[in-house]
C-alpha cells in the first residue's frame, strides 16, 4: 500500500459490514457487503457490482 496519510491499514476481515474502505490494488473505494464481497463506489463503480476479497487482504480505512 502506498503511503496515504489519512488511511489506517486493516485486514478486510476486520471491517464491519457496510464499512467504506480503500483498496490499494485498484486505488478505489469500496463498501463491504459480506464476509468476502464488496462493491466499488468510486471511479467506474456504482456500488452494484460485487468484487471478491480475501479476509487477510490489507485495505485502508479513513481515520
Amino acid at each position: 500500500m502506498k503511503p496515504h496519510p489519512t488511511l489506517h491499514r486493516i485486514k478486510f476481515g476486520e471491517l464491519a459490514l457496510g464499512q467504506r474502505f480503500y483498496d490499494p490494488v485498484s486505488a478505489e473505494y469500496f463498501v463491504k457487503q459480506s464476509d468476502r464481497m464488496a462493491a466499488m463506489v468510486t471511479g467506474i463503480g456504482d456500488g452494484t457490482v460485487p468484487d471478491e476479497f480475501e479476509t487477510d487482504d490489507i485495505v485502508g480505512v479513513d481515520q
Side-chain angles (χ1 to χ4, degrees):
M1 181 182 294
K2 291 182 180 178
H4 199 290
T6 63
L7 292 179
H8 172 72
R9 292 168 52 114
I10 189 171
K11 291 182 179 182
F12 179 79
E14 298 173 1
L15 295 169
L17 291 179
Q19 188 170 0
R20 187 176 188 257
F21 65 93
Y22 179 80
D23 174 37
V25 174
S26 64
E28 297 292 348
Y29 280 88
F30 287 75
V31 172
K32 185 173 181 176
Q33 295 181 324
S34 72
D35 289 340
R36 299 192 51 104
M37 303 300 281
M40 187 186 298
V41 294
T42 58
I44 62 169
D46 62 1
T48 62
V49 180
D51 195 3
E52 189 171 5
F53 285 83
E54 299 293 327
T55 57
D56 60 346
D57 286 347
I58 301 295
V59 298
V61 292
D62 291 320
Q63 292 185 11

